[in-house]
Amino acid sequence: MLEASRWRRLALAIRQIPRPHPLAIGFLATQPLWGQGALAQTADPVAGSVEEYNPYLYLDWLPADQLPPSRRAAMPAACSGAFVAPPADYPDAALLPQDAPMRATADTSQQSLVDGTAELRGNVRITQGYRQLFADEVDVNRTQSTAYLRGAIELREPNLLVRGRAAEVHTDSRAAAIEDATYVIHDQYVHGSASYATREASGELILTQGDYTRCEPGNVFWRMTGGEIAIDNVERQGTARDVRLEVLDVPVFYFPYLRFPVGDARLSGFLFPSISNSDENGWDVAIPYYWNIAPQLDATIVPRYIQYRGSGAEVEVRHLSPWFNTEVRAAGLPNDKGGDDEDARSLIRQGFPEDLVLPAKGKDRWLANIEQQGSSGGPWRTKIDYTKVSDPDYFRDLDTANLSVSAETALSQSAQAGLSGEHWQATLRAQEYQQLVKDRFETYSQLPRLNIDGDYRWGDLALALQHEVTSWDHDEEETIRFIADVGNPDSVTERTRNFVNARRMRIDYELDWDKQWLWGYITPGLAFRYLSYSLDNEFLRPDASSSPEASAGQVTLDTGLFFERNATAFGRDYVQTLEPRLFALGSSRADQSDFIDVSTSPSDGGNDLLFDTSLFTFSYDQLFRDSRFTGKDRIDDADRVALGLTSRIIDPSSGRDLFTLSGGQIFYLQDRETTLRGIVEDAPRSEFAARLESYPIESMRIASELIYDDDRGEMNRGNFSLRYLDDDLRLFNLGYRYLRQEEEFDLDDNLIRGPVRQVDASMVLPVSASLSILARANYDITFDRELEYLAGIEYDSCCYRARVAWRRTLDNNLADVVQPEDLTFDEGIYLEIQLKGLAGLGTTVTRMLSQGIPNFAQRELLKQ
């Protein structure tokens, strides 16, 4: 193979050659871009300047500072340059080779009329459509449709460059074989070399004793090398046989056979394993196998070994059809060994039951998940979102190695189908939830819920007609067993509750006149609301009605004004607005006393006909809602007037809100008799709600919300957040959260409950173009302890990315049985490596960062 210096000298020599003699009429040789680039890097005797030498110009590689601005902007952020092919500005360059004539130029040529051979010598160039060939010497045999090339061989096609010492080209089949080859696939940043390279007629490039990498020239971190590598640049896939993976020239894996994507396509084959280690589970190794079954169907099969728990597997199947998009996931771990948890063993030694401390030990653990969305683009639609696990501790103990299944405090299990028309739509839904918190009773199931809604509009008049019928179903009796006092092994308690099943009907009709102007709006409305139940007699109190109902008529008024003025401050123009808003609600009395305390079960929250209803968390937006309740189990009778005021400072050039401040309060005209638990609320006004939001620069957002009780002179709730993410990928977050709660102490005077005061700070700070520092600190001021500390570094280059992180966090595996101050900490070091264009090792760090650092996922998108 020619050295880089020889290629540079060759480029300079070509520059000095006079125009060659054409063999094909109408063709003039053009100077290759790499030749121009090499010349540009020589000394300029006039200007007296010398540009930086580029030793990889023969690979079409240009550093970032030599790229045009448009190409530099499209370059991946982690790369320091790009592979840029010279412009194809010769005749027929846009045609397929089979549709274009062959054209050739050379310094000298000689043709035999006897056998049809031709000899081309010196700076030979042959073109046929988009294909170009360069060489020192070429012998053409027209009878055999073969050309033999020697010297500085160069073959070019769109997004492909192959160089070599000698080559044989078949002009009919368009196949080529090149010795001592060097190749580049421009748009995929792929390059390498081979003792022998074959360019098949199908477009496939086969390398014998070659190598493959996506690293930048001169900075090769990894490469595949060995037997045979086939790259299909059309199908964007590659196969390798008898190859090894080298990292920093050190062999780390051997592959008898491997398929890999050339670009973003997914191919069947083993993916890189996921490896982690923790105190409780030990080594956790998962080896995914991706099966590309068909263009619309694929599967991922993941055998998994967990040192202190056993062996299992995960499976994910995805299917796409014209009507349905379906994803099915399953995981299993038979006969769980229980893990290595010293805290749990300590509780068991104290006498606590093992089946409460380690309830899953010796059990089969499993997960099932299906997600499906269906539609033909017409009136019907379907949706399934179903997740179920063997036990509430599944995600805390095992998580998932490869499946994208999220879990909070409950798992949704739902299926629904709907029909839509011009003014009406109907939805039939079945819904259940699986609790992941062990000391809570299961919630009611909706089996089923039917909604039929109408929507009409005539000019400024809007009519909404909503109908809902729901069947609430639950086991008639449920018993939970838990540890009441972690300091007393004899405090195991059982609690039993009886549940009343019911059918609920809810009707809401609303007629609004929505009139808007540039200076304000007014929206008066009339509403009729009806609520009724049909209750099962089992566990129903003798004096309770089995068919309670209530109805009310309501009048609402929502109106606001917009004032604005132009002003200047600190030499900057801005627009200031003043936006007062008034919302009023008046309701007839709806007697809902029959909804309270209807069953013989103790009053623990399950006998007040509250199936899906709670109070909204009070905020500034809550001032202008027509109900204080989230669900449909209550009709709000709170006659009230809400007043709010918003002022904005707007940048007139960008339209960005530089500063927004809002505040307001609700004034009640009478006591609220309709509540969740039947207790009359007589406060004359609500808390005062204030909200601040600011975008001082495009990269920064500042927000805060305060809830103040002016009767007691106390702050009930508050938060502050600062979010910063700029085009240089610098990310900063700062947050503070406060929630007033009464303090509670145990017998040893230890604080077990108190106000929530937490600080959360995080950052991703680039130190250089490739190196970034990652950090997060989440601290609980009330209990004077850290909730989570995280620190790490990220190195991101054009061909690989590595992240290493140290994490210290509260171990919540025993959160249901241990008091907060007794929770211990879990810490570990996590490593993640991604070889771009090949595979990745581990995803734990990315998941931790995306979940713990706001805007980290957005930063990942900006880097692409």
Side-chain angles (χ1 to χ4, degrees):
M1 191 186 312
L2 295 179
E3 299 295 334
S5 59
R6 183 178 173 188
W7 283 113
R8 181 170 177 269
R9 291 196 302 270
L10 176 62
L12 295 175
I14 293 176
R15 180 71 174 177
Q16 306 302 320
I17 295 176
R19 179 178 301 171
H21 305 289
L23 282 176
I25 301 176
F27 174 80
L28 293 179
T30 58
Q31 175 64 37
L33 178 63
W34 55 268
Q36 297 173 1
L39 185 67
Q41 295 179 10
T42 60
D44 186 341
V46 178
S49 63
V50 179
E51 295 187 16
E52 183 181 357
Y53 169 58
N54 178 8
Y56 303 105
L57 190 60
Y58 70 103
L59 295 176
D60 290 345
W61 174 260
L62 293 179
D65 57 3
Q66 297 181 20
L67 294 173
S70 59
R71 186 60 188 267
R72 193 181 307 130
M75 185 182 69
C79 296
S80 63
F83 293 99
V84 181
D89 53 1
Y90 57 87
D92 303 327
L95 298 179
L96 297 174
Q98 60 267 30
D99 298 333
M102 179 183 293
R103 304 172 186 272
T105 61
D107 290 344
T108 62
S109 62
Q110 183 177 347
Q111 184 172 0
S112 172
L113 299 178
V114 178
D115 56 8
T117 61
E119 297 179 353
L120 308 178
R121 299 291 183 265
N123 198 25
V124 181
R125 177 173 183 177
I126 302 174
T127 66
Q128 189 173 20
Y130 59 63
R131 171 176 287 183
Q132 302 179 71
L133 288 171
F134 297 85
D136 288 341
E137 299 178 359
V138 176
D139 293 334
V140 179
N141 189 321
R142 296 184 181 275
T143 304
Q144 300 178 1
S145 298
T146 304
Y148 299 92
L149 293 76
R150 294 179 297 276
I153 307 300
E154 178 181 339
L155 182 150
R156 287 189 179 275
E157 292 185 2
N159 279 320
L160 177 66
L161 166 65
V162 183
R163 297 185 184 278
R165 179 176 59 84
E168 179 180 340
V169 178
H170 296 272
T171 57
D172 289 344
S173 64
R174 301 180 300 280
I178 302 175
E179 298 179 16
D180 287 344
T182 301
Y183 69 93
V184 175
I185 302 176
H186 298 80
D187 60 344
Q188 297 300 324
Y189 278 72
V190 170
H191 67 99
S193 61
S195 298
Y196 193 76
T198 302
R199 175 68 163 84
E200 301 294 333
S202 61
E204 189 176 26
L205 183 65
I206 300 177
L207 311 172
T208 302
Q209 293 300 316
D211 58 60
Y212 168 98
T213 187
R214 235 204 72 161
C215 298
E216 297 180 350
N219 189 22
V220 177
F221 177 78
W222 68 267
R223 65 179 178 178
M224 281 194 307
T225 183
E228 181 180 281
I229 301 173
I231 302 173
D232 191 335
N233 197 31
V234 177
E235 298 294 332
R236 299 300 195 191
Q237 64 180 0
T239 58
R241 292 176 173 84
D242 189 28
V243 296
R244 62 185 181 273
L245 174 65
E246 295 182 353
V247 176
L248 296 177
D249 295 328
V250 177
V252 294
F253 284 108
Y254 170 77
F255 301 97
Y257 178 79
L258 175 69
R259 298 187 71 188
F260 57 91
V262 180
D264 299 327
R266 302 188 70 178
L267 302 174
S268 297
F270 283 101
L271 306 178
F272 264 50
S274 172
I275 304 175
S276 62
N277 181 275
S278 66
D279 294 336
E280 183 178 345
N281 290 339
W283 288 103
D284 187 345
V285 181
I287 305 176
Y289 179 83
Y290 177 75
W291 184 12
N292 189 19
I293 304 171
Q296 73 281 3
L297 179 65
D298 64 9
T300 304
I301 304 168
V302 190
R304 185 180 183 187
Y305 168 75
I306 305 176
Q307 183 179 3
Y308 298 140
R309 293 193 179 274
S311 300
E314 300 176 355
V315 177
E316 179 182 60
V317 179
R318 303 186 302 178
H319 179 255
L320 181 64
S321 75
W323 288 359
F324 296 101
N325 182 8
T326 307
E327 299 182 9
V328 178
R329 304 175 181 91
L333 179 73
N335 191 23
D336 187 356
K337 298 177 183 178
D340 184 18
D341 193 333
E342 179 57 35
D343 295 330
R345 288 197 297 267
S346 175
L347 290 175
I348 294 172
R349 287 194 296 267
Q350 296 174 36
F352 289 96
E354 186 179 39
D355 65 329
L356 289 180
V357 179
L358 294 174
K361 185 177 181 179
K363 304 291 183 62
D364 295 337
R365 316 288 296 275
W366 52 266
L367 173 148
N369 168 258
I370 179 172
E371 297 179 13
Q372 184 183 80
Q373 292 184 340
S375 176
S376 64
W380 67 270
R381 64 194 183 281
T382 62
K383 182 178 181 181
I384 299 175
D385 181 9
Y386 182 94
T387 304
K388 189 175 180 65
V389 291
S390 56
D391 56 89
D393 291 325
Y394 184 90
F395 287 99
R396 287 191 293 190
D397 290 346
L398 303 177
D399 204 347
T400 56
N402 197 71
L403 304 183
S404 56
V405 180
S406 61
E408 296 180 355
T409 60
L411 297 178
S412 174
Q413 300 165 359
S414 68
Q416 69 179 44
L419 288 172
S420 300
E422 181 180 0
H423 297 290
W424 288 89
Q425 62 178 9
T427 303
L428 184 65
R429 178 185 180 95
Q431 175 74 66
E432 290 184 330
Y433 290 97
Q434 180 183 5
Q435 288 288 344
L436 298 182
V437 182
K438 292 180 288 186
D439 58 355
R440 295 182 186 177
F441 290 101
E442 295 290 342
T443 59
Y444 278 88
S445 303
Q446 302 175 44
L447 298 174
R449 186 181 76 189
L450 175 64
N451 291 85
I452 301 177
D453 301 328
D455 185 10
Y456 292 87
R457 192 171 187 93
W458 307 277
D460 297 328
L461 283 176
L463 176 64
L465 307 171
Q466 298 180 350
H467 312 80
E468 179 185 302
V469 178
T470 308
S471 176
W472 298 99
D473 183 74
H474 198 288
D475 291 340
E476 294 180 345
E477 184 177 275
E478 182 182 359
T479 300
I480 58 176
R481 183 166 168 259
F482 57 95
I483 299 173
D485 182 2
V486 72
N488 181 8
D490 298 324
S491 64
V492 176
T493 304
E494 286 189 356
R495 179 180 297 171
T496 300
R497 179 192 294 177
N498 299 327
F499 290 85
V500 176
N501 293 326
R503 273 69 57 199
R504 184 184 73 189
M505 175 182 289
R506 178 69 184 249
I507 297 176
D508 292 278
Y509 292 168
E510 297 183 38
L511 178 65
D512 296 326
W513 182 55
D514 185 12
K515 188 63 177 177
Q516 300 187 26
W517 301 273
L518 291 176
W519 47 266
Y521 67 93
I522 182 170
T523 307
L526 297 173
F528 170 75
R529 310 193 186 280
Y530 174 80
L531 173 62
S532 69
Y533 295 89
S534 175
L535 308 178
D536 288 354
N537 292 324
E538 187 74 20
F539 307 122
L540 197 66
R541 291 179 55 179
D543 59 343
S545 172
S546 62
S547 56
E549 62 180 359
S551 62
Q554 295 181 347
V555 179
T556 60
L557 175 65
D558 189 4
T559 184
L561 299 172
F562 303 108
F563 302 96
E564 67 176 45
R565 69 185 183 97
N566 297 321
T568 302
F570 305 105
R572 184 174 180 178
D573 295 332
Y574 65 89
V575 176
Q576 182 182 11
T577 71
L578 197 64
E579 306 168 25
R581 183 176 181 182
L582 179 146
F583 178 84
L585 182 144
S587 177
S588 64
R589 185 176 183 274
D591 185 2
Q592 300 170 69
S593 58
D594 289 344
F595 300 161
I596 308 299
D597 200 18
V598 300
S599 79
T600 58
S601 177
S603 180
D604 53 11
N607 57 1
D608 291 330
L609 300 187
L610 294 172
F611 300 105
D612 64 351
T613 301
S614 61
L615 286 171
F616 278 108
T617 300
F618 188 70
S619 65
Y620 180 78
D621 291 331
Q622 177 60 25
L623 300 176
F624 312 107
R625 294 184 183 272
D626 59 10
S627 177
R628 297 168 290 147
F629 306 108
T630 60
K632 299 293 185 68
D633 292 311
R634 295 292 185 266
I635 298 175
D636 198 335
D637 67 346
D639 295 347
R640 59 187 180 271
V641 174
L643 298 176
L645 182 64
T646 297
S647 181
R648 308 175 195 270
I649 296 178
I650 304 172
D651 181 1
S653 60
S654 65
R656 187 174 72 250
D657 287 358
L658 301 176
F659 185 87
T660 302
L661 179 63
S662 302
Q665 197 168 21
I666 298 175
F667 299 91
Y668 297 102
L669 307 182
Q670 61 182 17
D671 296 342
R672 280 91 68 208
E673 297 183 3
T674 300
T675 60
L676 292 176
R677 302 298 179 192
I679 301 173
V680 175
E681 297 179 353
D682 58 359
R685 59 185 177 272
S686 71
E687 304 154 300
F688 182 84
R691 183 174 63 192
L692 178 147
E693 191 171 25
S694 175
Y695 293 86
I697 57 177
E698 291 186 2
S699 304
M700 180 184 293
R701 176 182 181 268
I702 300 174
S704 179
E705 189 160 21
L706 302 175
I707 304 299
Y708 179 76
D709 188 340
D710 55 355
D711 283 339
R712 304 177 61 177
E714 294 178 330
M715 190 73 67
N716 284 348
R717 192 174 75 253
N719 61 71
F720 169 84
S721 66
L722 183 149
R723 304 283 184 261
Y724 179 88
L725 176 61
D726 61 21
D727 293 337
D728 294 326
L729 304 179
R730 292 174 295 188
L731 189 157
F732 298 96
N733 299 295
L734 179 63
Y736 175 79
R737 184 167 71 98
Y738 171 80
L739 177 63
R740 185 173 65 84
Q741 292 182 154
E742 298 299 327
E743 293 183 345
E744 294 183 13
F745 298 87
D746 61 13
L747 296 178
D748 297 326
D749 203 30
N750 294 316
L751 181 66
I752 60 175
R753 185 176 182 269
V756 176
R757 294 194 297 265
Q758 296 178 359
V759 176
D760 195 345
S762 57
M763 74 169 188
V764 179
L765 180 62
V767 178
S768 65
S770 299
L771 186 65
S772 297
I773 298 175
L774 318 168
R776 185 198 180 196
N778 190 8
Y779 194 81
D780 189 326
I781 300 175
T782 300
F783 289 95
D784 191 22
R785 65 182 178 189
E786 64 267 30
L787 300 176
E788 180 181 15
Y789 284 168
L790 186 148
I793 57 174
E794 173 191 81
Y795 185 84
D796 195 3
S797 71
C798 201
C799 75
Y800 79 97
R801 179 177 64 194
R803 290 178 178 142
V804 58
W806 167 82
R807 186 191 190 196
R808 174 181 168 90
T809 184
L810 276 178
D811 185 357
N812 289 314
N813 285 341
L814 297 175
D816 296 333
V817 296
V818 176
Q819 297 294 347
E821 70 274 7
D822 295 327
L823 289 175
T824 59
F825 291 92
D826 186 19
E827 60 182 290
I829 297 177
Y830 304 86
L831 173 66
E832 176 180 297
I833 300 176
Q834 178 189 358
L835 305 182
K836 298 181 180 180
L838 189 61
L841 175 62
T843 60
T844 304
V845 179
T846 295
R847 186 162 57 233
M848 285 192 309
L849 296 173
S850 299
Q851 294 173 353
I853 300 181
N855 285 336
F856 186 84
Q858 179 65 23
R859 173 183 178 268
E860 293 294 278
L861 294 176
L862 291 177
K863 292 176 63 176
Q864 296 179 1

